[in-house]
């Protein structure tokens, strides 16, 4: 991450804003301060953040906090039912729930005529109270007060309520089965019976076996409860909350959707439980057991409702803009929530393209898993379950393509090979993993493989499939009826295996086998929060992942692949096969060095020269000159051996001939070399001074002290500054040879420290004494595209203009570089990242020549339209190294000079690698 120093302006210039991104808020696990470097070719399996640094998200859009509700929305469906007394007072005797705009449901006991027929209903909060008369009371005809059988009634109001955020109908759970172990009983405070403003409380209850004889009511002792009732037990009991169990006391579950919750009415307390009872167990009339009676009553009274209106997905969607937020989820997502279903689709199309499905031959039979998913883990490799791709026919038919499914079109990529784990056994979850390699590389942002058994955090993104309209965040009455399915990623908790193993029986479905599940290979995920059916369903092979901060950018790391589950971990566990136990096998299959372009170390040529000793000048026989130094001081020896290049030993194996630029520390006597090699320490105090000054007044230190502008005289007497250079000593500027060809005559002046300078006193103009272009510069290929400007006299060194350092490592390149350029007199900073040479060659039509480096412009994940900025010849490419005094002493290194490349974000950018010309610079800088 760019820290506070000479490139302070970088962050502000890169801030384009990030569109809504549907993922768990990224975490920092202590790797954010890494200084990542990329080798010439791939050597490590865990290099994802290095290879794909260009995709790393380095900004987070932190929105303003969501506004607080004027009134709580948790009880907007709860109705208080009253009886008018003499004198006009109302006795609010019982409770119910609004199920339609003119219908309230309650217990039949509430309608007992002995206390007077209910006449009025109250809804809403303190500000928006609605009191509406009851038109008709419809009690279930088979109600039995003695045991609470059919204790249910409907109240038809004499007019429709005004639906708003404080008065919204509840949803109904009309299924026979009730899978929820914990439910909420909605009660009221003792004072609410008389007061005009209701006060409700929520009491958590747990389900007891319906048929248990231990679940009895005071009036039905030892008889148990009928099948149409639920037995619930309160988790907490005290004198305060057992004094008033009102008639019509609702029992509900709040189900999650749209980062909000909707109440689903499960039951109503039975008449066998009287007010004042402190029995911890209560019986509730199940709403689902009376669905046919409910619909019959509503249809007979011409209420404009159909059975489909009570489907969970339809009800949840109807008033989702008025339901209470699940604030902890919204905050956890940091507000990056799509605001409508169209954006949910865009999230899938743009940001979830690393998740694919599989295409089988049209005539394939017995396809094992047609609804499977796979995950890109590099741009040519997909991970999935073995059961998803294993051949199931005698002919060995397997999938032919992976398919990116999007809202607008599906894209297929042909499969090159499928490697199933050699120890996978069909119909078992042991070693249920496979590697799918594609025929060609695809421009998709892959997920990285988490190779450690310990998860960095207990919260994850668990990928499933769900209805688009139920997976966006929206707070308005406007409703979209888009019920199409899309990949979705709800937040989920890691669940201890010991707890999970007792619940695995719930996961059995269809022909799926749970044989072979073990804590050593599998992970379990679960939340107590249930979801509305249809919000998310598990997809075999789908990734379980989390965004992690590495080297100042966020990358998605996949921990596991889903093997079994139903509701994406909500209420019922989801099981996933962990990747870490298979890291060695994955490495052997995915990391194919035969395609890396390098040779084996055994093919290297090692020459022993007995005439050389330490500190002697030497040559490796390939044109590179160096000095004999201890092996540990030479940064490039290991890489040269790996690539099969020639290595010269000076007398014995502990001293090697090392190119000048690769020496970690040397004490050469050349003045230029000494100045270059001491750059870090030489200008230490100036960097500290700039940091201190910037803290006091940013505008005074906005300039780039190392960057120079190269100027040519014009006919009108003016100077045209056409390209950039980089001050590397008090009298030497390095730039590209192509820059020096801008005019047919040589440049005469250089303006140093002027880029982004707030005042002319902050920069200096110096006359150029000599121009030196590399003798082997080739304008056609860009080979040796480098030149030097020797100033007439050393510049005055101060905090506004002083030399920058040269990056001298020949084997590794920093992955977080910035190209500094100019467009219409405005300076911009473009993040660029190196790529492996083999990948570079795949993208180029001509070979990469010696001394060049290959980079790509940043395409941060989540940015829909990255800028297509054109770089100019001579533009400098720098790396800012954070030293031990990290926020104060940032050293800026010149890594390369832009040579050539297209303007589009996907075009390869070719740069002249400065470390390759370190000796040339020293030899020609006099």
């Amino acid at each position: 991450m760019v820290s506070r120093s000479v490139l302070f302006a970088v962050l502000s210039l890169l801030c384009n804003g990030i569109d809504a991104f549907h993922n768990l808020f990224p975490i920092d696990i202590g790797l954010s301060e890494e200084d990542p470097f990329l080798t010439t070719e791939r050597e490590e399996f865990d290099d994802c953040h290095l290879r794909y640094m260009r995709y790393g998200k380095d900004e987070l859009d932190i929105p303003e906090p969501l506004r607080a509700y004027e009134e709580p929305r948790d009880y907007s469906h709860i109705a208080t039912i009253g009886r008018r007394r003499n004198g006009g007072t109302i006795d609010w005797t019982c409770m119910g729930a609004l199920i339609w705009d003119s219908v309230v449901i309650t217990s039949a006991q509430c309608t007992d005529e002995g206390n007077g027929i209910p006449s009025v209903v109250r809804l809403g909060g303190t500000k928006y109270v609605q009191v509406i008369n009851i038109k008709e009371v419809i009690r279930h005809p088979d109600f039995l007060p003695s045991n609470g059988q059919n204790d249910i009634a409907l109240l038809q109001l004499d007019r429709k309520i005004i639906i708003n955020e404080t008065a919204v109908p509840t949803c109904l759970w009309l299924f026979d089965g009730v899978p929820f172990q914990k439910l909420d009983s909605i009660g009221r405070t003792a004072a609410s019976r008389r007061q005009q403003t209701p006060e409700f409380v929520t009491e958590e209850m747990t389900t007891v076996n319906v048929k248990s004889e231990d679940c009895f009511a005071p009036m039905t002792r030892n008889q148990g409860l009928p099948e149409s009732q639920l037995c619930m037990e309160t988790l907490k009991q005290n004198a305060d909350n057992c004094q008033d169990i009102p008639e019509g006391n609702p029992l509900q579950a709040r189900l999650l959707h749209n980062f909000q919750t909707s109440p689903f009415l499960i039951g109503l307390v039975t008449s066998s439980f009287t007010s004042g009872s402190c029995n911890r167990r209560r019986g509730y009339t199940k709403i689902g057991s009376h669905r046919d009676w409910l619909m019959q009553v509503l249809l007979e009274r011409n209420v404009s409702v159909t059975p489909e209106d009570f489907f969970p997905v339809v009800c949840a969607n109807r008033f989702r803009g008025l339901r209470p937020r699940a604030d902890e989820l919204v905050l956890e997502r940091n507000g990056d929530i799509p605001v409508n279903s169209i954006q949910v689709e865009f999230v899938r199309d743009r940001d979830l393209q690393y998740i694919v499905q599989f295409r089988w031959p049209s005539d394939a039979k017995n396809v094992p898993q047609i609804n499977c998913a796979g995950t890109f883990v590099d741009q040519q490799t997909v991970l999935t379950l073995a059961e998803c791709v294993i051949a199931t026919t005698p002919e060995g038919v397997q999938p032919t393509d992976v398919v990116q499914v999007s809202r607008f079109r599906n894209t297929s990529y042909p499969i090159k090979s499928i490697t199933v784990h050699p120890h996978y056994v069909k119909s078992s979850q042991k070693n249920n993993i496979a590697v799918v390699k594609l025929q060609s590389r695809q421009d998709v942002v892959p997920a990285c493989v988490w190779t450690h058994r310990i998860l960095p955090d207990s919260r994850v993104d668990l990928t499933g499939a769900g209805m688009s309209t139920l997976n966006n965040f929206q707070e308005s009455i406007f409703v979209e009826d888009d019920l199409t399915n899309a990949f979705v990623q709800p937040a989920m908790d890691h669940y201890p295996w010991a707890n999970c193993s007792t619940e695995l029986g719930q996961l059995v479905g269809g022909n799926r086998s749970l044989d072979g599940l073990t804590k050593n290979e599998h992970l379990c995920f679960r939340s107590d929060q249930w979801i509305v059916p249809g919000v998310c369903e598990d997809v075999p092979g789908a990734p379980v992942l989390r965004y992690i901060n590495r080297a100042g950018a966020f990358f998605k790391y996949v921990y596991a692949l889903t093997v079994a589950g139903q509701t994406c971990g909500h209420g019922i566990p989801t099981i996933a096969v962990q990747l870490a136990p298979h890291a060695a096998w994955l490495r052997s299959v995915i990391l194919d060095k035969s395609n890396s372009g390098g040779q084996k170390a055994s093919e290297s040529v090692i020459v022993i020269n007995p005439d050389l000793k330490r500190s002697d000048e030497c040559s490796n026989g390939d044109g590179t000159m160096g000095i004999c130094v201890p092996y540990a001081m030479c940064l490039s020896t290991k890489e040269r051996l790996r690539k099969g290049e020639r290595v010269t030993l000076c007398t014995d194996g502990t001293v090697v001939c090392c190119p000048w630029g690769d020496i970690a520390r040397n004490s050469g006597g050349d003045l230029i070399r000494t100045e270059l090699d001491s750059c870090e320490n030489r200008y230490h105090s100036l960097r500290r001074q700039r940091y201190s000054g910037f803290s006091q007044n940013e505008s005074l230190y906005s300039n780039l002290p190392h960057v120079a502008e190269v100027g040519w005289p014009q006919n009108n007497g003016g100077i045209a500054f056409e390209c950039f250079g980089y001050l590397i000593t008090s009298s030497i500027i390095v730039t590209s040879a192509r820059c020096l060809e801008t005019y047919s005559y040589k440049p005469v002046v250089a303006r140093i420290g002027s880029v982004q300078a707030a005042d002319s006193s902050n920069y200096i103009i110096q006359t150029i004494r000599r121009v030196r272009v590399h003798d082997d510069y080739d304008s056609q290929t860009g080979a040796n595209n480098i030149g030097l400007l020797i100033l007439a006299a050393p510049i005055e060194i101060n905090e506004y203009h002083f030399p920058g350092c040269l990056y001298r490592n020949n084997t590794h390149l920093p992955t977080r570089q910035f190209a500094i350029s100019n467009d219409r007199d405005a300076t911009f900073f473009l993040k660029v990242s190196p790529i492996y040479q083999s990948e570079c060659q795949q993208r180029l039509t001509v070979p990469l020549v010696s001394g060049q480096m290959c980079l790509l412009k940043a395409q941060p994940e989540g940015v829909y339209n990255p800028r297509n900025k054109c770089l100019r010849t001579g533009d400098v490419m720098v790396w800012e190294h954070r030293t031990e005094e990290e926020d104060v002493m940032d050293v800026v290194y010149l890594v390369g000079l832009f040579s050539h490349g297209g303007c589009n974000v996907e075009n390869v950018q070719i740069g002249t690698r400065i470390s390759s010309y370190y000796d040339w610079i020293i030899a020609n800088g006099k």
Side-chain angles (χ1 to χ4, degrees), residues 614-634:
R614 182 172 177 174
S615 300
D616 284 350
E617 287 193 341
C618 59
S619 171
N620 280 307
D622 57 2
T624 59
M625 297 299 296
I627 189 172
C628 293
V629 298
Y631 170 82
M633 291 178 58
C634 188

Side-chain angles (χ1 to χ4, degrees), residues 436-745:
V436 178
K437 290 195 174 183
L438 307 184
Q439 291 184 9
S440 60
R441 178 186 54 79
Q442 306 303 323
D443 286 328
V444 62
V445 182
C448 303
V449 175
W450 184 255
T451 59
H452 309 283
R453 285 183 176 267
I454 302 299
L455 301 188
D457 192 74
S458 61
R459 292 285 275 175
V460 301
D461 272 324
L462 197 154
T463 307
M467 293 182 180
S468 297
T469 192
L470 295 179
N471 282 278
N472 60 76
F473 179 68
Q474 183 173 331
E475 289 193 304
S476 71
I477 264 184
F478 174 71
V479 173
E480 297 176 69
D481 294 322
D482 180 8
L483 300 182
T484 59
N485 266 8
F487 284 126
V488 294
Q489 289 184 329
M492 187 49 54
D493 296 310
H494 179 232
Y495 195 48
W497 189 262
N499 298 343
C500 180
S501 58
T502 62
E503 304 179 37
L504 295 183
Q506 302 178 62
L507 298 178
V508 179
N511 297 320
R512 295 185 59 73
S513 169
L514 299 183
D515 179 60
L517 292 178
T518 67
K519 66 178 181 180
N520 295 325
E521 190 184 354
H522 297 87
L523 297 173
C524 187
F525 302 93
R526 184 185 179 278
S527 169
D528 288 337
Q529 174 64 63
W530 288 76
I531 56 175
V532 173
V535 169
C536 188
E537 296 180 1
D538 290 277
V539 177
V544 178
L545 54 102
R546 185 73 189 262
Y547 275 79
I548 295 174
N549 189 334
R550 296 204 66 174
F554 298 107
F555 303 86
K556 52 183 177 284
Y557 276 84
V558 57
Y559 306 147
L561 305 177
T562 296
V563 296
Q566 296 178 13
T567 56
C568 300
H570 291 93
I572 300 175
T574 288
I575 308 297
V577 57
Q578 190 176 9
L579 300 183
H582 302 288
W585 177 75
L586 290 171
R587 182 182 294 108
S588 67
V589 176
I590 296 175
L591 190 58
D592 185 1
K593 289 190 176 183
S594 62
N595 294 327
S596 66
Q599 294 177 295
K600 298 180 180 179
S602 59
E603 298 176 354
S604 299
V605 177
I606 300 177
V607 177
I608 301 176
N609 189 337
D611 297 328
L612 295 174
K613 59 183 182 299
R614 182 172 177 174
S615 300
D616 284 350
E617 287 193 341
C618 59
S619 171
N620 280 307
D622 57 2
T624 59
M625 297 299 296
I627 189 172
C628 293
V629 298
Y631 170 82
M633 291 178 58
C634 188
L635 302 176
S636 63
T637 300
K638 181 179 178 180
E639 176 73 1
R640 293 174 69 88
L641 289 171
R642 187 194 70 79
K643 294 169 62 178
E645 295 178 354
R646 178 167 170 159
V647 174
T648 297
L649 301 183
C650 304
T651 306
D652 58 55
T654 63
V655 179
V656 298
C657 181
C658 188
W660 282 107
D662 296 343
I663 300 172
R665 300 177 186 272
N666 67 71
S667 56
D670 187 281
L671 293 178
I672 296 177
R673 185 184 300 278
T674 300
E675 185 170 355
L676 293 178
D677 291 347
S678 63
C679 174
E680 290 85 353
N681 295 325
R682 184 183 290 259
Y683 304 111
H684 177 100
S685 60
L686 291 176
R687 288 190 291 272
R688 178 184 291 275
Q689 189 172 345
R690 280 186 64 85
Y691 176 79
S692 177
F694 190 93
S695 302
Q696 300 297 321
N697 189 335
E698 295 183 13
S699 63
L700 288 180
Y701 295 89
S702 60
N703 73 314
L704 304 182
H706 319 315
V707 177
E709 296 176 284
V710 184
W712 285 262
Q714 303 296 298
N715 292 333
N716 60 6
I719 299 291
F721 293 95
E722 301 288 357
C723 48
F724 284 163
Y726 200 78
L727 184 71
I728 60 173
T729 74
S730 59
S731 59
I732 301 175
I733 294 171
V734 62
T735 186
S736 69
R738 189 164 292 172
C739 163
L740 300 177
E741 291 182 333
T742 303
Y743 293 93
S744 59
Y745 51 94

